């Protein structure tokens, strides 16, 4: 492996300080701690750490769950595994009726991270900033971005959740979506306004920038107004304002497209990998390979789910076998370079994978963008780097926002440059085979499917087009191999419509609330 991929996340989070702060202190927090600028920095690192754990080190990884719920992946896993992924995939708890707490660990991790954010925000006036208003605004903006991102993930998963804006253990009912999205919008507007106007690469990779806040605001606007059929973002951001934020990113951030799409993904490019700090990545959640079973959760613990089932073939590493739907492979044109960069094709790449192994719901396709990796000797990369645990110490960053997304969102919102933005994304994909097509909404949505395949985006792009569109796109009945034996896989539109595309509220949380929390329909 080229050393550029070994630098991987070695300095990424370390540039923030440390992301191994204890989530639960052994003694009560001394709130007088929040006095100096250094105290504020340490607390901010704790907020980043909470984000990292909530998305990468707790429960069923949301990037995986989001793909499993979409039309691009099946639950897969192994023949002897439980059916929790099947229940999520098919929106049908009867597939695994004992799983009454499907995302409970995620829920807990989200609120731990939100508590950290709320605690730091509540102490802003207590900290001695020594007149450095710019630093205060920066730390406050980063913290509010993290809180907004956490609530956005939760709101997309569960719809309505308790809304806490201050450190609290109060048992509160679920807020309305409008209340939740109002806070998200306000937090992101604050960050967009108060973060420094500087080139994206002035800050260490992984830190929130003005451009990340503006880009996420565009995504939140499109999801909320689409899923809830609203004219603006909770009365805070209009369509014109959302577009203006995206246009500002395009004009002023310094972000741009890398020349080769494959270079964005380690397993697709290996020695030609563009690195984690490349100009296309607007915001990423960072991981490193130091996870263990003693409380250090610095790794990308969901990525192993995308690996080929208990099988490695250089450069692809082993994993637990969430499979890619053949429909996605077939959706790409043969001249689209993104197909081979996004998907591992077992037959197409002549990989000697045993179709009769323990793989459930075998399709012949796996996620290449987030594939675990091995070196040329077949050793799992985390082990090569010194980790003891290959499964919980995957370390590839989760790319939340890319510049190509900014271009396509701006085009969708009606930019006067919509055609040029749309063409720029497609020219890279097709290279010499590029042929222009009009930047209509239908074409833009199809392009989003191909551009962001297997990145945890597709499902929410479907939902924001309406539950009817989402259910009809995801529903299917097909024949798949499980342990080499053919069986019927069925996902019904009725189940998706019944749940409105939302997931199960963990029963533990309903019980702890004394019934204050209410279960989502269909679960």
């Amino acid at each position: 492996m080229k050393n550029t991929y070994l630098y991987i996340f070695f300095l990424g989070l370390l540039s923030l300080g440390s992301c191994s702060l204890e989530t639960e202190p052994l003694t009560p927090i001394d709130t007088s701690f929040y006095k100096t600028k250094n105290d504020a920095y340490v607390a901010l690192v704790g907020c980043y750490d909470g984000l990292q754990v909530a998305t990468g080190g707790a429960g069923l990884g949301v990037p995986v769950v989001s793909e499993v719920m979409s039309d691009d992946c099946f639950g897969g896993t192994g023949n002897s595994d439980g059916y929790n992924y099947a229940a999520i995939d098919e929106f049908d708890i009867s597939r695994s009726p004992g799983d009454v707490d499907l995302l409970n660990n995620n829920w807990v991790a989200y609120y731990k991270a939100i508590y950290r954010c709320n605690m730091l925000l509540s102490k802003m006036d207590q900290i001695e900033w020594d007149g450095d208003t710019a630093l205060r605004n920066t730390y406050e903006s980063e913290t509010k971005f993290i809180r907004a991102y956490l609530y956005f993930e939760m709101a997309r998963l569960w719809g309505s959740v308790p809304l806490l804006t201050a450190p609290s253990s109060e048992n509160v009912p679920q807020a309305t979506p409008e209340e939740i999205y109002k806070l998200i919008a306000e937090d992101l507007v604050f960050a967009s306004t108060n973060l420094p106007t500087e080139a994206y690469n002035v800050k260490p990779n992984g830190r929130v920038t003005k451009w990340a806040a503006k880009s996420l605001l565009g995504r939140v606007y499109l999801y909320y107004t689409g899923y809830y059929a609203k004219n603006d973002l909770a009365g805070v951001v209009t369509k014109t304002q959302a577009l203006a934020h995206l246009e500002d990113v395009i004009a002023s951030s310094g972000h741009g497209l890398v020349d080769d799409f494959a270079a964005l993904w380690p397993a697709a490019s290996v020695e030609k990998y563009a690195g984690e700090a490349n100009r296309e990545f607007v915001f990423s959640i960072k991981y490193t390979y130091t996870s263990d079973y003693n409380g250090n959760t610095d790794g990308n613990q969901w990525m192993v789910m995308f690996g080929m089932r208990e099988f490695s073939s250089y450069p692809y590493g082993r994993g637990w076998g969430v499979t890619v739907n053949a429909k996605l492979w077939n959706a790409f044109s043969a001249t689209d370079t993104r197909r081979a960069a996004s998907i591992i094709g077992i037959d197409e790449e002549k990989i000697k994978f045993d179709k009769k192994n323990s793989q459930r719901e075998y399709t012949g396709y796996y996620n290449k963008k987030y594939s675990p990796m091995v070196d040329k000797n077949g050793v799992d990369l985390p082990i090569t780097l010194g980790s003891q645990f290959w499964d919980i110490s995957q370390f590839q960053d989760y790319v939340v926002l890319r510049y190509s997304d900014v271009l396509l969102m701006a085009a969708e919102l009606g930019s006067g440059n919509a055609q040029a933005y749309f063409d720029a994304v497609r020219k890279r994909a097709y290279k010499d085979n590029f042929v222009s097509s009009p930047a209509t909404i239908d074409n833009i949505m199809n392009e989003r499917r191909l551009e962001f395949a297997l990145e945890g985006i597709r499902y929410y792009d479907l939902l924001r087009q309406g539950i009817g569109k989402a259910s009809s796109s995801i529903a299917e009945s097909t024949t798949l191999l499980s342990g080499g034996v053919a069986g019927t896989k069925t996902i019904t539109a009725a189940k998706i419509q019944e749940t409105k595309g939302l997931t199960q509220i963990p029963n533990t949380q309903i019980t702890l609330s004394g019934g204050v929390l209410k279960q989502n329909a269909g679960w």
Side-chain angles (χ1 to χ4, degrees), residues 25 80 120 122 150 213 277 339 421 437 446 484:
S80 61
L120 176 53
S122 74
L150 292 165
R339 181 169 71 175
Y421 296 161
S437 62
N446 182 64

Side-chain angles (χ1 to χ4, degrees), residues 189-215:
V189 168
F190 183 92
S192 297
T193 302
N194 289 282
L195 281 163
T197 302
E198 56 191 8
Y200 75 92
N201 53 0
V202 170
K203 289 283 180 65
N205 175 242
R207 291 287 289 271
V208 173
T209 66
K210 176 186 287 284
W211 319 117
K214 287 172 173 283
S215 300

Side-chain angles (χ1 to χ4, degrees), residues 47-48 50-52 54-56 62-63 66 110 113-114 117 141-157 180-181 183-185 187-188 208 212-213 215-217 219-220 283-285 287 302 398-401 455-457 460:
C47 295
Y48 276 98
L51 171 65
Q52 178 199 63
T55 298
V62 170
S66 301
Y110 281 125
I114 287 170
C117 293
S141 295
E142 290 180 76
T143 306
K144 286 187 172 181
F145 175 98
I146 293 169
R147 183 172 69 176
Y149 183 82
L150 292 165
Y151 271 125
F152 185 42
E153 279 203 351
M154 295 178 75
R156 289 188 299 175
L157 286 170
I180 297 168
Y181 279 92
L183 177 71
I184 293 170
D187 278 355
L188 292 176
V208 173
S215 300
L216 185 58
L217 195 53
R219 178 176 290 176
V220 173
F283 181 69
S284 302
I285 297 174
Y287 306 107
W302 52 262
Y398 176 49
V399 184
V400 173
L401 290 157
E455 296 180 44
I457 293 175
Y460 304 110

Side-chain angles (χ1 to χ4, degrees), residues 190-265:
F190 183 92
S192 297
T193 302
N194 289 282
L195 281 163
T197 302
E198 56 191 8
Y200 75 92
N201 53 0
V202 170
K203 289 283 180 65
N205 175 242
R207 291 287 289 271
V208 173
T209 66
K210 176 186 287 284
W211 319 117
K214 287 172 173 283
S215 300
L216 185 58
L217 195 53
R219 178 176 290 176
V220 173
Y221 174 88
L222 284 167
Y223 183 78
Y224 178 78
T225 56
Y227 184 78
Y228 293 102
K230 300 291 185 178
N231 293 322
D232 61 23
L233 176 50
V236 179
V237 178
T238 66
K239 179 179 181 180
T240 299
Q241 290 169 332
L243 176 57
H245 282 293
L246 296 172
E247 296 281 24
D248 195 20
V249 177
I250 295 167
S252 308
S253 68
H255 282 294
L257 300 175
V258 303
D259 293 335
D260 183 4
F261 183 83
L264 294 168
W265 315 107

Side-chain angles (χ1 to χ4, degrees), residues 88 306 330 419 442 470 490 495:
I88 294 169
F306 282 132
N330 294 329
Q419 189 66 51
D442 286 345
T490 301
K495 285 293 183 182

Side-chain angles (χ1 to χ4, degrees), residues 22-35:
E22 292 293 332
T23 301
E24 291 297 314
L26 298 179
T27 56
I29 294 174
D30 179 5
T31 56
S32 66
F33 160 79
Y34 300 86
K35 287 184 176 179

Side-chain angles (χ1 to χ4, degrees), residues 300-342:
N300 182 335
Q301 297 189 21
W302 52 262
M303 200 168 85
V304 69
M305 296 305 304
F306 282 132
M308 295 184 293
R309 181 72 190 180
E310 298 179 337
F311 179 82
S312 298
S313 177
Y314 176 78
Y316 315 127
R318 54 183 164 159
W320 304 140
V322 165
T323 54
V324 171
N325 194 326
K327 289 197 306 185
L328 178 60
W329 177 272
N330 294 329
F332 285 95
S333 161
T335 59
D336 191 335
T337 62
R338 294 172 298 193
R339 181 169 71 175
S342 303

